[in-house]
Amino acid sequence: MDLISRLPMETHGQILREFDPIDLVSFALTCTYAFASTRFFMNLAYTHYKILMPFLRSRRGVEEFVELMSRTSMVISGSQAIAFLYRLRYSESDLDLYVGSKRHMGAVEEIVTFLMRYGYQVIKENIQHSIQHPDFIRKWKPFANATTGRTFVMRTDEYSPSNIVRVIHLKFGNRVIQIIVPAHNIMDAILSFHSTVVMNVITATHAYCLYARASLVEKVNIIRKGPYDNDHVSTAIDKYEHRGFAPVDVGESDWIIDYRDDMRRVGDRYCWSVPLSSGAKYLAKYLEEEDALPPMECNTWQLVCNFSQLQPDFHFHHAAYETGDSADAMCVADDMLIALDAPPSVWIVNYIKKMKETKESTDDGQMEIV
């Protein structure tokens, strides 16, 4: 390690560029100098510029877009998010933007106007089912909290493509951007994806890989089966298999990669959470406030195996927090519903404190994949 410490920082960068995410983590754990070197490298390698420059072609445009992300709670997901984590480029992939339903009325139009300034034109818009459609009446039910007696969530157990109510397609040259509006909240849409390899989120402050061990260490793609499987889903799974992510189903998976039955939280120790230096000023407001978390990190869920049918599958158990007085609806894990006596952003902070005090979780927020 003494030899490594004597190398110029530029040489470190050339070496670390060859590392995949798990190699970066492993190297950072070897000594203080390696940690500092890796941190410096990641501050340069993981920025919004890397993912947005091909679409906006302007550093000022990227900075304005990140500010827009912070203000509207918009996130990036899909193929571009997993490529970003691996520091790759999928040049053929669209940029998928998700905007929460509570904000979508004004935010979508603002985002479209912004993108049109950079040459994009709307080429298609799809309006899907509204939340009053029978599909939603059937799949989402009121839930009364036992502690407060208030009914403020809507529950679902099924993987449904109708969780999306609006999609706007924009194009400039060969670049395509999709603005996607979920029916209830962003994390509900993310947890409704066909498989875990695409369950990654980039916000104004962080990049999150929700199933870090599966996607970054084992390089497997945990498949959820459901009544909505079709040729489009099969094509998507095949696409990621060709990119190096072997598909595994409920019979081939294991707790060590899918964390079944555990209550999960965005940013917990099973995630890889990467602070983005290009969003540091938006993260500062959470660091300055005691017990404040970025809104995305207040989402919780559970992955449950369903062996009660002929073809076993995975269900993502969660509810949508829908009081009407919250700007951003959140997902709430089933186990959390029983005890929820405050808004999720307050409850989850208290929950983390309790876990740390009882020493049941001493490194919450760190990636436990090694």
Side-chain angles (χ1 to χ4, degrees):
M1 195 55 65
D2 286 342
L3 177 62
I4 293 177
S5 66
R6 289 196 294 268
L7 293 174
M9 193 59 71
E10 294 78 9
T11 305
H12 275 238
Q14 293 172 356
I15 295 172
L16 294 179
R17 272 199 296 269
E18 303 301 317
F19 288 6
D20 64 18
I22 185 58
D23 292 331
L24 283 176
V25 173
S26 300
F27 177 71
L29 294 174
T30 57
C31 70
T32 303
Y33 187 87
F35 179 85
S37 176
T38 304
R39 186 174 184 177
F40 179 81
F41 171 78
M42 290 181 66
N43 281 340
L44 297 177
Y46 290 101
T47 74
H48 294 92
Y49 301 107
K50 299 292 185 181
I51 191 169
L52 292 173
M53 280 295 285
F55 292 91
L56 298 177
R57 309 169 312 283
S58 158
R59 291 183 68 86
R60 180 177 177 181
V62 171
E63 290 159 8
E64 291 177 349
F65 191 82
V66 175
E67 190 276 332
L68 187 60
M69 291 177 71
S70 176
R71 186 155 40 81
T72 63
S73 298
M74 172 175 52
V75 306
I76 300 169
S77 192
S79 292
Q80 292 290 348
I82 186 65
F84 175 79
L85 291 166
Y86 270 97
R87 308 191 308 282
L88 300 173
R89 283 191 181 175
Y90 295 153
S91 58
E92 76 284 2
S93 295
D94 303 340
L95 181 68
D96 294 339
L97 309 175
Y98 286 78
V99 185
S101 59
K102 288 286 184 182
R103 293 180 180 269
H104 96 270
M105 290 298 182
V108 169
E109 284 66 30
E110 185 177 3
I111 295 164
V112 169
T113 300
F114 176 90
L115 293 173
M116 290 180 73
R117 283 170 42 203
Y118 286 87
Y120 286 87
Q121 296 296 321
V122 176
I123 58 172
K124 183 170 63 172
E125 179 173 357
N126 298 331
I127 304 295
Q128 317 266 17
H129 298 318
S130 74
I131 59 174
Q132 301 302 321
H133 190 277
D135 279 357
F136 286 107
I137 303 298
R138 187 165 56 249
K139 293 179 177 61
W140 291 77
K141 304 173 184 177
F143 180 88
N145 177 266
T147 303
T148 64
R150 291 186 301 157
T151 299
F152 55 76
V153 294
M154 303 290 282
R155 308 191 67 204
T156 183
D157 290 333
E158 295 192 39
Y159 164 39
S160 169
S162 59
N163 287 346
I164 303 299
V165 296
R166 188 181 181 191
V167 182
I168 300 175
H169 306 258
L170 300 99
K171 188 173 184 180
F172 176 70
N174 62 348
R175 296 292 184 183
V176 176
I177 297 177
Q178 296 184 106
I179 302 172
I180 301 163
V181 181
H184 292 282
N185 62 68
I186 291 171
M187 275 306 298
D188 173 55
I190 303 299
L191 296 173
S192 295
F193 287 163
H194 50 73
S195 55
T196 58
V197 73
V198 282
M199 292 183 183
N200 312 290
V201 182
I202 299 172
T203 71
T205 61
H206 287 79
Y208 301 99
C209 179
L210 302 190
Y211 285 87
R213 187 174 187 91
S215 298
L216 306 178
V217 181
E218 306 296 338
K219 295 186 180 176
V220 297
N221 185 17
I222 304 167
I223 310 301
R224 60 185 304 168
K225 301 293 183 182
Y228 301 96
D229 288 352
N230 52 40
D231 291 341
H232 174 74
V233 170
S234 298
T235 300
I237 292 170
D238 288 344
K239 175 177 70 175
Y240 285 102
E241 185 174 11
H242 292 148
R243 289 173 174 173
F245 300 96
V248 296
D249 60 23
V250 64
E252 300 166 314
S253 186
D254 187 82
W255 178 88
I256 196 65
I257 60 171
D258 59 44
Y259 317 118
R260 62 188 66 177
D261 300 324
D262 277 14
M263 191 181 90
R264 297 290 314 281
R265 178 182 68 84
V266 177
D268 66 13
R269 67 178 183 268
Y270 302 133
C271 288
W272 193 30
S273 305
V274 183
L276 304 179
S277 57
S278 48
K281 67 179 180 180
Y282 305 109
L283 179 59
K285 67 178 180 180
Y286 301 110
L287 299 177
E288 292 168 359
E289 298 177 23
E290 186 178 2
D291 300 333
L293 286 174
M296 182 58 64
E297 296 191 10
C298 298
N299 288 277
T300 58
W301 75 95
Q302 288 162 285
L303 179 64
V304 178
C305 300
N306 180 10
F307 292 100
S308 62
Q309 53 191 32
L310 186 61
Q311 186 179 29
D313 63 4
F314 286 116
H315 282 201
F316 283 80
H317 282 210
H318 63 278
Y321 183 79
E322 296 279 359
T323 63
D325 58 2
S326 176
D328 296 299
M330 299 172 184
C331 284
V332 182
D334 282 10
D335 282 357
M336 186 171 158
L337 290 176
I338 300 170
L340 194 67
D341 56 2
S345 56
V346 176
W347 191 95
I348 197 65
V349 168
N350 294 333
Y351 171 81
I352 293 170
K353 278 185 177 179
K354 182 179 177 181
M355 294 295 283
K356 287 182 177 179
E357 287 170 0
T358 57
K359 300 187 184 301
E360 292 179 17
S361 176
T362 56
D363 31 319
D364 196 280
Q366 303 300 314
M367 181 173 64
E368 189 177 273
I369 63 172
V370 292

